[in-house]
Amino acid sequence: RGDAYQQLENYKEAVNCFSKAIKLDPKMIEAHNGMAICQVKMNQFDKARKTYDNAIKKNPSHVMFQCDKGNLFYLQKKYKDAIKCFDKAIQVDPQCALAYFQRGK
């Protein structure tokens, strides 16, 4: 349901659904990612950062969360923080081309 609400741009309801999914399965990658994307769409940048931090804590080997968190900082013009996130992603997976690309923006 969260994905459907997200597609309809009903981000508040999408976040509610993603939150319920995370409570049922704290390691559900898609729910963390969907929630953070919706929070960014609603300009809730601090909440999105916390969502990414929580996702990274539960899924430390999933480099996309580091990349997405880096993009969040990039949107906020916090470039040094963004680079740190991309560097962490590269540490976890030195073959992550996306992290290198985003770090070079």
Side-chain angles (χ1 to χ4, degrees):
R1 287 178 45 188
D3 282 337
Y5 281 121
Q6 185 177 359
Q7 292 301 316
L8 293 170
E9 298 181 4
N10 187 342
Y11 301 121
K12 186 176 179 181
E13 279 304 312
V15 166
N16 289 336
C17 291
F18 291 134
S19 180
K20 288 176 186 174
I22 291 167
K23 285 179 186 171
L24 292 171
D25 182 1
K27 290 191 173 192
M28 186 177 192
I29 292 168
E30 298 85 356
H32 287 279
N33 196 48
M35 177 182 260
I37 289 169
C38 290
Q39 289 165 328
V40 170
K41 294 282 190 180
M42 294 188 295
N43 295 317
Q44 297 176 344
F45 299 123
D46 288 338
K47 286 184 179 182
R49 184 189 47 77
K50 289 176 185 173
T51 298
Y52 284 129
D53 287 342
N54 191 34
I56 290 165
K57 194 179 295 181
K58 291 182 179 7
N59 303 282
S61 64
H62 193 69
V63 297
M64 293 311 298
F65 289 130
Q66 283 292 354
C67 290
D68 290 344
K69 184 179 171 186
N71 282 329
L72 172 63
F73 285 130
Y74 183 84
L75 285 172
Q76 296 176 286
K77 299 184 187 319
K78 296 180 180 180
Y79 302 119
K80 289 181 182 179
D81 290 329
I83 290 169
K84 287 178 190 176
C85 290
F86 300 134
D87 286 344
K88 285 180 187 175
I90 291 166
Q91 270 184 315
V92 173
D93 181 4
Q95 301 302 313
C96 182
L98 183 62
Y100 286 102
F101 171 77
Q102 290 175 322
R103 187 172 163 234
K105 286 199 281 189

